[in-house]
Amino acid sequence: MKTKATFYHAGCPVCVAAEQTVAQGLDPNRYDVELVHLGDSKDRVSEAESAGVQSVPAIVIDGNAFHINFGADLSVLKG
Amino acid sequence: MKTKATFYHAGCPVCVAAEQTVAQGLDPNRYDVELVHLGDSKDRVSEAESAGVQSVPAIVIDGNAFHINFGADLSVLKG
């Protein structure tokens, strides 16, 4: 059973670098990585927030939020 | 040829979580991950700094520094 990893981003340059290197660098034998663009999927902002995400890019693995550098605050993606 | 990934940390709880999840989650078929404890290896602080690391935990992949959450500023590990 693979571990779910959810990568939240907003298409920003910082996000793209983190996605291409860290998110897509995870072992595909152990992780199922879902990429979520919070600008396009605003209905998932609250889900990210509940998981502890404060800014993007961030990846949530096993319920833990890991913020990777800083692209944008989650608040600008709301509403 | 694997890509070199260098994970810099200082043994802090935030560092350990990032190490166990993100650094060790990287695909071993594509990445050679080196773990560097900057508290124990102060001679490598300048190397981390040159790579753009400002705080730990951080992982440097392909010359790009990715800070993962925030454990400690690099300045406290100097000297």
Side-chain angles (χ1 to χ4, degrees):
Chain A
M1 173 101 180
K2 295 187 191 181
T3 298
K4 176 86 187 272
T6 308
F7 181 78
Y8 295 100
H9 68 106
C12 55
V14 172
C15 296
V16 172
E19 176 185 328
Q20 293 180 340
T21 309
V22 180
Q24 295 186 354
L26 291 175
D27 186 351
N29 293 316
R30 290 180 287 151
Y31 295 92
D32 262 330
V33 181
E34 184 189 11
L35 307 176
V36 178
H37 189 312
L38 289 177
D40 294 340
S41 306
K42 287 188 182 294
D43 55 317
R44 297 190 65 178
V45 171
S46 61
E47 161 199 308
E49 198 168 34
S50 297
V53 173
Q54 299 174 342
S55 62
V56 289
I59 192 163
V60 175
I61 304 174
D62 275 339
N64 296 309
F66 297 97
H67 302 88
I68 305 169
N69 288 344
F70 181 83
D73 196 89
L74 206 66
S75 63
V76 306
L77 295 162
K78 287 183 186 176
Chain B
M1 172 101 177
K2 295 188 191 180
T3 298
K4 176 87 186 268
T6 309
F7 180 77
Y8 296 101
H9 68 105
C12 55
V14 172
C15 297
V16 171
E19 176 185 328
Q20 292 179 341
T21 309
V22 181
Q24 296 186 354
L26 291 175
D27 185 352
N29 293 317
R30 291 180 286 151
Y31 295 92
D32 262 329
V33 180
E34 183 188 12
L35 307 176
V36 178
H37 189 312
L38 290 177
D40 294 340
S41 306
K42 286 186 182 295
D43 55 318
R44 297 190 64 177
V45 171
S46 61
E47 161 200 308
E49 198 168 33
S50 299
V53 173
Q54 298 173 343
S55 61
V56 290
I59 192 162
V60 175
I61 303 174
D62 275 338
N64 296 308
F66 297 97
H67 302 87
I68 305 168
N69 289 343
F70 181 83
D73 197 90
L74 206 64
S75 63
V76 305
L77 296 163
K78 288 182 184 175

